[in-house]
Amino acid sequence: MFFQKLQKKLGSITNTSLSKEIYKNILRNSKIVKKHFSIKELKNKNFNNSKVALIVAGGPSLRKKDFRNLITKNRKKFHIICAEGTLFYLLEKKIIPDLVVTLDPHKKRIVRWFGDKNLTKKDLKKDDYYRRQDLDLKFRDEVSTNKKILKYTNKYGKFLNVAPCTSSSSLVVKRLIEMKSKLFWWNPFLDEPKQKNSLSKKIYKLNKLPLLNSIGNVGSACWVIAESVFGFKKIVLIGMDCSYYIDTPIKATQYYDILIRTFGKKNINKFYKKIYNRKLKKYFYTDHVYYWYKNLFIDAVKNSYSKTYNCTEGGIIFEKPIITRKFKDFCSIELIK
Amino acid sequence: MNFLKGNYKIKKKFKTKKLSKEEELEKIFEENAKKRIGGSMVYVSKKKVNWDLEE
């Protein structure tokens, strides 16, 4: 019951909690967006739908089920749109995505997915997020992986198209410019523009960039860009879990630090839920935020004319109209149709 | 003027509703989540893109 009640509250909370930080970033980024491109430039560039959009999200399944050989084998048939957190995973195997998406406004954390040139011992001491997280275990070896991703992004950065949200932090933007990537900017859809004092309207007037509804996380934002900007009719998802493997320690979950600080050990279990994925015949567990993202995402897919195949082979996104497939089967059946 | 504290005591006693354990948790959750819940932002709407505010 408590878990369900929380779902209703999350909508109003997330926006109010972050809007100050987001707005500060937008004000700063709006001064430089004219030097780059608008995401509008990518509208309907879907190769007459002869390609399939491949969304690479950063869920824990991505490392467990290594799809990179299959991606390489079928590279030309895919238009790869990836979350920034999967860039290392792809570049490790010299797979250069067609578009990298980033949106999170966090001051220090997000730049690490692109490599942080100024990473200090103090930073590592202050924030244990990368040592705890379950998304890409290689990032737990913080110093060594940071060196590697810096090397990759220095080498391949100029070949990358990146779609940063104007909410991105100054460190992320600085790094993208250093990498010499081609930037396609967009604004976050924060509220209804017709409302009085709408923040979305305010930021649109500031920089005239399209407002995109990210549905809360970067993986979903990749899907929105594939569906509504590029206009792809077939979209495949990998790494889109919205959940944790059942053997993942609770400490490694995304919101553990804030939950434990706020509610203590005694109450923390109220924020987690065990889910049976009947398509995969496997249990996973999720938290209040991931579960909410999952529901919003399914709602968005229901309102779409595109076909969405979930080839994650893990996680809790399996409800209709999403089609569950093994990635291998998708490549051998759907790609040759 | 609810920021002013009275320097007097009132006679009438007010009963405050006792919150259940779950309601209390929910209240703390909401207060803290307002400060920061995670790392993402969400706007719940069916509309996915607004190209130029005119649509």
Side-chain angles (χ1 to χ4, degrees), chain A residues 108-123:
Chain A
K108 291 284 284 177
R109 279 181 189 168
I110 308 305
V111 71
R112 298 277 293 280
W113 298 121
F114 299 100
D116 184 354
K117 269 182 152 178
N118 302 308
L119 185 66
T120 62
K121 274 186 186 172
K122 203 179 156 193
D123 293 331

Side-chain angles (χ1 to χ4, degrees), chain A residues 5-6 9-10 13-15 17-18 21-22 104 167 189 192 204 211 213-214 216 227 255 258 262-263 270-271 293 299 303, chain B residues 21-23 25-26 28-30 32-53:
Chain A
K5 272 190 192 171
L6 286 180
K9 291 188 181 275
L10 283 171
I13 286 168
T14 319
N15 260 347
S17 67
L18 288 172
E21 198 172 350
I22 293 167
D104 196 303
S167 57
F189 219 135
E192 175 51 55
Y204 176 81
L211 297 152
N213 194 344
S214 69
E227 197 258 0
Y255 304 97
I258 193 168
T262 316
F263 305 101
K270 292 185 185 292
F271 294 87
Y293 287 162
D299 221 35
N303 285 289
Chain B
K21 213 181 160 193
E22 289 217 332
E23 281 171 329
L25 255 181
E26 214 175 314
I28 304 171
F29 169 80
E30 200 174 343
N32 283 280
K34 275 178 183 159
K35 290 174 196 154
R36 188 178 179 93
I37 191 170
S40 298
M41 55 220 170
V42 180
Y43 167 56
V44 183
S45 160
K46 297 262 183 279
K47 194 174 241 173
K48 293 177 199 124
V49 186
N50 193 320
W51 294 101
D52 50 20
L53 285 189

Side-chain angles (χ1 to χ4, degrees), chain B residues 1-45:
Chain B
M1 303 297 265
N2 56 6
F3 56 87
L4 288 180
K5 268 188 182 175
N7 57 352
Y8 51 87
K9 282 180 183 170
I10 45 173
K11 282 177 187 171
K12 194 179 175 183
K13 282 184 179 173
F14 290 95
K15 273 185 188 172
T16 46
K17 190 196 160 197
K18 250 197 168 180
L19 296 175
S20 71
K21 213 181 160 193
E22 289 217 332
E23 281 171 329
E24 216 166 278
L25 255 181
E26 214 175 314
K27 201 179 153 204
I28 304 171
F29 169 80
E30 200 174 343
E31 281 164 7
N32 283 280
K34 275 178 183 159
K35 290 174 196 154
R36 188 178 179 93
I37 191 170
S40 298
M41 55 220 170
V42 180
Y43 167 56
V44 183
S45 160

